[in-house]
Amino acid sequence: MLYCSHFKRAFDEAYGMLNEKQKEAVDTIDGPVMVVAGPGTGKTQVLTLRIANILLQTDTAPESILALTFTDSGAQAMRERLRRYLGARAYQVRIFTFHGFAQQLIAQYPDFYPKVIGSRPASDVEKIHIIEFFLQRKDISLLSPLGNPSYYVYHVMRMIGQLKQEYVSPDQFAELIAAQETELEGIEKIHQKGAHKGKVRGEYTKKEKSIGKNKELLLVYRQYEALLSDAGLYDFEDMIVETVTALSTQEDMLRDLQEQYQYILADEHQDVNGSQNKILEL
C-alpha cells in the first residue's frame, strides 16, 4: 500500500500543477477529447496524466490503452513520465510510434500483410536506382531534363512517399489527374484580345505542364510499385499503407483491435498524415 501511495502522491502533485482546462482534459475519462495548444504548453503531460487517471479511476487494464506518437524518443519519454505515476504498470500500457504499431500488427497478423511478409525494406540507394531507371525512359521528358536526366530523382521519390503517406494509390492518383484535366477544359486557352491576342494564356500553359508532370509521375509510380513487388522490396511508408489496407479489408483483425483497445490517444495529432489518421479513424 505504501508503494501505491507513493505513485498516487506523484500523480496528485503533477495534477495540482495543471490549469483548469488541462484538468478538464485529464478528468474526462470517456468520450472524445482534443487538446489544442501551442508548443511547450504541456500537451504530452496532459495526455500522460489522462492515461494515469483512466487507470486510477476505472478498472481498465493497462494493455487496453493505446498511445501513439511520432518518435522513439517521444514514446520513451511518455512511458518514463507514466512510470512516475503508475510504477511497473506503465510498462503494460501500449505506447508506440505509428510505425512501431504497424510492426506489431505485422508480427501479429502476418497473413494480412502479403506485400510486407517475405520482403525486406528497400534502401534509399535501391529506391534511387529504381527511379533513375524509369526516368531514362523515352516517354518521360518533363521529369527528365536533357541536361540533367537525374534532376528530379529525389523530388519523384519524395512525391511518391507523400502520395503513400496520404493513402493515395496509383489508381486514385489517376482519378485526381483526370479531375485536373476536366478543370483545364474549363480554362480559356487563347487570349481573345489585348497585346497577347491569339497567344496561349500563361495560366493554361502552367496547368497543362503541371498535368503533364503528374501523368509522368503516375507512370513512374505504377512501375515503381510493380518493380518493388517483383524484387521482394517494400517502402518504409508501405508499413502504414498496408496497415490501413488490412484494417479496411480484414474485419476479424479490426474487431480484435477495437475490442482490445478501449482508449486510444495520439500525441502531436496535428502532425499526422492521411494514412496515420486513417488508422486512428478505423
Side-chain angles (χ1 to χ4, degrees), residues 263-279:
Y263 294 92
I264 301 170
L265 304 95
D267 197 19
E268 303 292 353
H269 179 260
Q270 75 277 1
D271 292 331
V272 301
N273 58 46
S275 295
Q276 292 167 334
N277 200 59
K278 189 67 176 176
I279 289 174

Side-chain angles (χ1 to χ4, degrees), residues 8-18 23 45 49 85:
K8 179 64 166 65
R9 187 163 58 249
F11 173 84
D12 290 341
E13 288 176 2
Y15 179 85
M17 297 176 67
L18 303 179
K23 288 178 179 177
Q45 177 73 339
L49 287 172
Y85 316 127

Side-chain angles (χ1 to χ4, degrees), residues 28-244:
T28 306
I29 300 296
D30 293 312
V33 175
M34 180 165 64
V35 175
V36 183
T41 52
K43 296 187 297 295
T44 300
Q45 177 73 339
V46 167
L47 183 149
T48 305
L49 287 172
R50 184 168 185 251
I51 293 174
N53 202 34
I54 290 168
L55 295 174
L56 290 170
Q57 300 294 337
T58 73
D59 60 357
T60 302
E63 56 269 23
S64 294
I65 297 176
L66 173 65
L68 295 169
T69 186
F70 286 88
T71 63
D72 290 327
S73 59
Q76 184 177 349
M78 194 185 302
R79 192 177 300 282
E80 182 58 31
R81 291 190 195 196
L82 203 55
R83 191 184 63 80
R84 300 173 198 165
Y85 316 127
L86 297 173
R89 284 207 295 170
Y91 295 99
Q92 296 174 275
V93 176
R94 303 300 191 244
I95 302 175
F96 298 103
T97 63
F98 279 91
H99 280 92
F101 183 53
Q103 281 183 314
Q104 163 99 354
L105 296 181
I106 291 168
Q108 191 173 352
Y109 301 96
D111 291 345
F112 301 150
Y113 286 84
K115 186 173 182 177
V116 175
I117 294 299
S119 301
R120 65 172 177 82
S123 68
D124 285 345
V125 171
E126 287 172 320
K127 291 189 286 186
I128 288 169
H129 285 166
I130 291 172
I131 292 171
E132 280 183 331
F133 173 76
F134 288 127
L135 291 184
Q136 292 173 5
R137 287 175 49 133
K138 292 181 179 180
D139 50 357
I140 301 293
S141 58
L142 296 175
L143 292 180
S144 185
L146 287 177
N148 187 356
S150 298
Y151 183 79
Y152 284 110
V153 168
Y154 289 99
H155 174 73
V156 168
M157 188 165 70
R158 185 172 65 253
M159 289 303 299
I160 290 175
Q162 289 177 356
L163 286 167
K164 290 187 178 187
Q165 287 170 6
E166 296 305 322
Y167 201 60
V168 177
S169 67
D171 287 344
Q172 290 170 320
F173 190 36
E175 292 175 5
L176 292 174
I177 294 172
Q180 287 180 322
E181 290 182 306
T182 301
E183 182 181 338
L184 183 65
E185 292 173 1
I187 296 176
E188 188 176 4
K189 183 175 181 179
I190 306 295
H191 284 284
Q192 300 300 317
K193 56 185 178 180
H196 300 290
K197 183 178 179 180
K199 296 181 180 179
V200 178
R201 293 167 60 90
E203 178 189 7
Y204 186 94
T205 300
K206 185 177 179 180
K207 286 187 178 292
E208 186 178 43
K209 186 173 182 179
S210 176
I211 291 172
K213 284 186 175 181
N214 281 341
K215 284 184 172 181
E216 290 188 0
L217 177 60
L218 173 61
L219 182 62
V220 175
Y221 188 12
R222 287 192 189 280
Q223 294 171 332
Y224 174 78
E225 289 290 88
L227 191 54
L228 279 183
S229 179
D230 291 344
L233 300 171
Y234 65 87
D235 259 340
F236 188 62
E237 290 88 357
D238 286 332
M239 295 171 63
I240 301 292
V241 171
E242 293 304 303
T243 295
V244 175

